[in-house]
């Protein structure tokens, strides 16, 4: 059975309401949840960004399913601090937590005032951070001075077994690169040929563990409503080229401009019919994913979760 999870978007929903949503997601029948770790939203209209780590503690304590987070150690988070956070959650909730580690986005990381490195340096920093985190979770004392600087660090409260550390990738190039160290792959829905390339690159390079897919959806009563929600909340997905070097939500708004309806449809799956939407999601999962996490791009998560429970989840399980 393919694992069907719920994506909690901190950029869009205040943390108290997002907490209520993740509890509701378990009751609705989702198998687990994941969340984003942002300091800033993608747009001014989104206007939120609760602290993922404190939210995760509350969410894990109030549910019984697994939760994961996509995060970026190395700049905003020193890898020692990331290791301590990861270790604490897994020690408190064994077997229920995972993290997907990526090279980061300037919109979240520029606040330290440190220069924003090019992609190859960010990858090197990420790999060094992963090595530090794994050593610390294994109980070793770490000193290091290269891509990251660490002085005689140790994590004292540790889980019996470290949680999985997946790698986050959008491109085939990154997926192939992280296959050597990741416990799994986490990526986001794109055209089928692009996703197939990401999976192939990861597998060809010896990638192991689960293949995790996040899918953005806009499911409303009418096509006009679905597109309006997408335009208001997720239009940055229409931007062509790299988003990783942009620093401010207002800059994303300016770059996205006023996209056409067809451009909006490239940023998410848009539908008024749960069965048709389930079929689209199933086609992507069939490329070779073990888990899929659904992100309803609107701010009304109560409505999305009601629809998921009544129609979308049954249809998707049938389609899969």
């Amino acid at each position: 059975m393919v694992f069907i999870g719920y994506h909690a978007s901190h950029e869009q929903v205040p943390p108290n309401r997002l907490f209520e949503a993740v509890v509701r997601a378990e009751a609705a029948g989702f198998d687990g949840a994941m969340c984003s770790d942002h300091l800033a939203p993608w747009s001014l209209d989104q206007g939120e960004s609760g602290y993922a780590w404190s939210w995760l503690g509350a969410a894990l304590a109030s549910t019984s399913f697994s939760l994961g987070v996509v995060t970026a150690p190395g700049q905003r988070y020193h890898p020692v601090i990331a290791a301590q956070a990861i270790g604490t959650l897994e020690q408190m909730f064994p077997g229920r937590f995972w993290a997907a580690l990526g090279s980061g986005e300037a919109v979240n990381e520029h606040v330290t005032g440190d220069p924003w490195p090019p992609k190859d340096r960010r990858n090197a920093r990420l790999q060094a951070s992963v090595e530090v985190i794994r050593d610390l979770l294994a109980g070793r004392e770490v000193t290091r001075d290269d891509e990251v600087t660490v002085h005689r660090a140790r994590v004292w409260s540790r889980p019996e077994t470290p949680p999985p550390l997946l790698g986050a990738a959008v491109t085939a190039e990154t997926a192939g690169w992280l296959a050597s160290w990741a416990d799994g792959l986490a990526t986001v829905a794109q055209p089928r040929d692009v996703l197939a390339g990401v999976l192939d690159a990861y597998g060809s390079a010896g990638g192991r563990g689960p293949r995790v897919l996040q899918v953005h959806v806009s499911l409303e009563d009418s096509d006009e409503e679905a597109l309006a929600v997408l335009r208001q909340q997720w239009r940055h997905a229409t931007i062509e080229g790299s988003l990783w070097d942009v620093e401010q939500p207002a800059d994303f708004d300016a770059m996205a401009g006023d996209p056409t309806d067809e451009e909006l449809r490239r940023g998410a799956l848009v539908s008024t019919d749960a069965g048709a939407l389930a079929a689209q999601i199933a086609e992507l999962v069939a490329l070779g994913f073990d888990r899929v996490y659904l992100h309803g791009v609107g701010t009304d998560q109560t409505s999305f979760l009601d629809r998921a429970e009544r129609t979308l989840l049954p249809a998707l399980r049938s389609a899969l």
Side-chain angles (χ1 to χ4, degrees):
M1 293 290 290
V2 174
F3 180 108
I4 304 174
Y6 168 71
H7 176 72
S9 178
H10 282 286
E11 308 95 293
Q12 299 176 268
V13 182
N16 59 339
R17 284 174 34 209
L18 200 62
F19 168 76
E20 294 168 355
V22 78
V23 172
R24 173 75 180 91
E26 183 173 37
F30 282 94
D31 299 321
M34 65 179 287
C35 73
S36 48
D37 177 13
H38 270 242
L39 185 67
W42 295 105
S43 74
L44 297 176
D45 284 331
Q46 288 181 347
E48 297 290 342
S49 271
Y51 186 52
W53 295 95
S54 48
W55 182 91
L56 279 161
L60 283 160
S62 303
T63 59
S64 61
F65 59 14
S66 66
L67 279 104
V69 63
V70 181
T71 188
Q75 186 158 326
R76 182 167 50 111
Y77 295 124
H78 192 281
V80 175
I81 302 304
Q84 185 184 28
I86 289 168
T88 293
L89 287 178
E90 181 64 19
Q91 196 278 334
M92 293 178 69
F93 308 101
R96 293 180 52 210
F97 176 69
W98 56 270
L101 308 181
S103 60
E105 300 149 354
V107 69
N108 300 312
E109 311 300 326
H110 74 91
V111 294
T112 65
D114 298 318
W116 181 238
K119 177 61 172 172
D120 60 337
R121 292 294 306 278
R122 300 203 304 273
N123 281 356
R125 183 172 67 183
L126 173 58
Q127 185 158 8
S129 295
V130 171
E131 292 167 1
V132 169
I133 291 168
R134 286 206 166 113
D135 281 347
L136 290 170
L137 293 177
R140 291 187 277 272
E141 181 182 286
V142 176
T143 293
R144 185 164 183 151
D145 188 14
D146 45 29
E147 296 296 336
V148 295
T149 300
V150 182
H151 177 65
R152 298 200 63 186
R154 182 177 173 184
V155 169
W156 294 85
S157 296
R158 302 186 311 278
E160 185 174 330
T161 302
L165 300 180
L166 283 62
V170 174
T171 66
E173 181 181 5
T174 299
W177 167 76
L178 60 78
S180 65
W181 59 260
D183 294 326
L185 170 70
T187 190
V188 65
Q190 301 178 77
R192 284 174 54 86
D193 59 335
V194 177
L195 274 183
V198 170
L199 286 170
D200 181 67
Y202 185 71
S204 298
R208 62 188 186 278
R211 275 69 163 165
V212 174
L213 177 67
Q214 181 194 103
V215 181
H216 309 301
V217 303
S218 186
L219 177 62
E220 300 292 340
D221 291 332
S222 70
D223 198 55
E224 292 76 16
E225 288 176 292
L227 287 168
V229 168
L230 192 53
R231 183 180 303 280
Q232 202 265 346
Q233 283 292 307
W234 212 250
R235 64 185 178 277
H236 68 277
T238 64
I239 298 171
E240 296 185 358
S242 174
L243 305 183
W244 323 124
D245 301 326
V246 182
E247 290 189 354
Q248 298 294 335
D251 295 333
F252 285 105
D253 285 342
M255 293 169 69
D258 185 18
T260 67
D261 289 352
E262 289 310 306
E263 288 170 334
L264 286 169
R265 292 180 193 278
R266 294 201 293 268
L269 300 182
V270 179
S271 185
T272 61
D273 180 84
L277 179 59
Q280 290 179 282
I281 297 168
E283 286 183 4
L284 297 178
V285 173
L287 292 171
F289 290 98
D290 308 292
R291 306 181 199 167
V292 59
Y293 289 82
L294 307 184
H295 170 214
V297 298
T299 57
D300 185 356
Q301 291 297 293
T302 299
S303 176
F304 170 71
L305 290 166
D306 286 347
R307 289 174 184 271
E309 182 175 23
R310 290 195 314 268
T311 59
L312 182 55
L313 285 176
L316 183 53
R317 289 200 167 92
S318 177
L320 291 171

